[in-house]
Amino acid sequence: MNKCILALDFENAIDAVSFLDNFDEPIYVKVGMELFYGSGLQLINEIKNRGHNIFVDLKLHDIPNTVKGAMRNLAKLGVDMVNVHCAGGISMMKAAIEGLEEGKLNKKRPLCIGVTQLTSISQEIMNEELLIKGNITDTVLHYAINAKKAGLDGVVCSVYESKIIHEVCGNDFLTITPGIRLKGDCKDDQKRVATPELAKEEGGDFIVVGRSITRSKNPNKTYIKIENIMRG
């Protein structure tokens, strides 16, 4: 399975599917809120028919029963990865796994990943706006421990927390790291960003890359380059 997940950050299904014409082989893609809510099931089916793996990035955060029902329906789509906010608590995360087990296809449920802190959240924002005391790394690690207790497969975190999460939660507990840019690319709205080389060095299992590929003159070549870095 590919280690580089391409963020399909497009406004509509036509643009997203058209962009996928750039790739010679099946890849791993992320469908976020904007695209999913605008295009829905038809887009998911089209991407699956092309042979791509899909991470549906909806960051569910609600009462346990609601999350369970939502995950049951997402599993029926045959997607490969979904996520929830760790801030919803252990009971909610357990309910997510229960829903995925009930809705899974072909005896294989989607990977379920917990979001620790968004890469747009800085230390200052966490402490002063969210009123979460302490160091951001400690908070991320605590959320990761809770996610493992709940039976999740791993967490979304920044590159800078990947290594310590593996040390505490084990190497089989996945770390998915967004905010990845090739050297020299603009950071845009991300605060805690890194290169693919650093992500590999820090032990990230999957990286999520958007603009460095979608704005590339040769998206297929850039994707392969990043995938080779992660596997090299």
Side-chain angles (χ1 to χ4, degrees):
M1 186 177 292
N2 292 344
K3 293 178 175 291
C4 176
I5 302 175
L6 166 64
L8 286 176
D9 294 330
F10 296 95
E11 293 183 358
N12 57 72
I14 294 175
D15 290 342
V17 171
S18 176
F19 186 76
L20 289 176
D21 289 337
N22 287 292
F23 299 93
D24 300 327
E25 300 289 339
I27 63 173
Y28 213 132
V29 303
K30 179 177 78 72
V31 175
M33 294 181 187
E34 181 178 13
L35 190 55
F36 184 84
Y37 294 145
S39 305
L41 307 185
Q42 184 176 353
L43 173 64
I44 298 299
N45 290 334
E46 174 65 26
I47 295 173
K48 290 302 293 184
N49 288 338
R50 289 171 174 241
H52 302 297
N53 292 108
I54 305 177
F55 168 22
V56 177
D57 178 22
L58 301 182
K59 301 181 181 70
L60 299 187
H61 187 177
D62 212 311
I63 62 172
N65 193 56
T66 298
V67 170
K68 179 179 179 179
M71 285 300 187
R72 184 189 304 116
N73 285 328
L74 285 175
K76 292 176 182 178
L77 299 180
V79 299
D80 303 279
M81 186 186 294
V82 294
N83 59 1
V84 297
H85 268 292
C86 294
I90 293 176
S91 294
M92 187 205 75
M93 289 188 280
K94 286 183 176 180
I97 295 294
E98 291 172 1
L100 292 173
E101 288 287 354
E102 291 179 4
K104 66 185 179 183
L105 301 177
N106 302 319
K107 298 183 179 180
K108 181 181 179 182
R109 69 164 174 80
L111 294 172
C112 189
I113 307 300
V115 177
T116 53
Q117 287 290 344
L118 301 174
T119 52
S120 60
I121 300 296
S122 65
Q123 179 77 48
E124 180 181 17
I125 293 173
M126 190 188 80
N127 293 154
E128 297 183 8
E129 294 184 21
L130 304 182
L131 289 181
I132 299 175
K133 298 179 180 180
N135 183 275
I136 195 167
T137 300
D138 294 335
T139 300
V140 168
L141 182 58
H142 180 66
Y143 282 174
I145 292 170
N146 283 347
K148 184 169 184 178
K149 289 179 180 177
L152 266 61
D153 301 290
V155 291
V156 177
C157 63
S158 86
V159 167
Y160 306 100
E161 294 112 18
S162 187
K163 186 174 291 185
I164 190 172
I165 287 173
H166 280 140
E167 289 174 356
V168 174
C169 298
N171 289 327
D172 59 341
F173 190 72
L174 302 173
T175 55
I176 290 80
T177 56
I180 303 297
R181 300 282 192 274
L182 289 173
K183 187 176 180 179
D185 287 351
C186 180
K187 292 183 179 181
D188 295 292
D189 56 347
Q190 305 276 17
K191 304 296 184 183
R192 297 175 292 149
V193 302
T195 62
E197 289 86 352
L198 182 58
K200 176 179 172 56
E201 181 181 333
E202 293 295 314
D205 296 293
F206 294 92
I207 59 173
V208 180
V209 185
R211 297 175 180 96
S212 288
I213 297 175
T214 58
R215 295 179 181 177
S216 172
K217 293 181 179 179
N218 190 327
N220 185 61
K221 184 177 180 180
T222 302
Y223 183 91
I224 292 173
K225 174 183 176 180
I226 296 173
E227 182 70 19
N228 287 337
I229 291 171
M230 291 299 293
R231 292 185 177 276

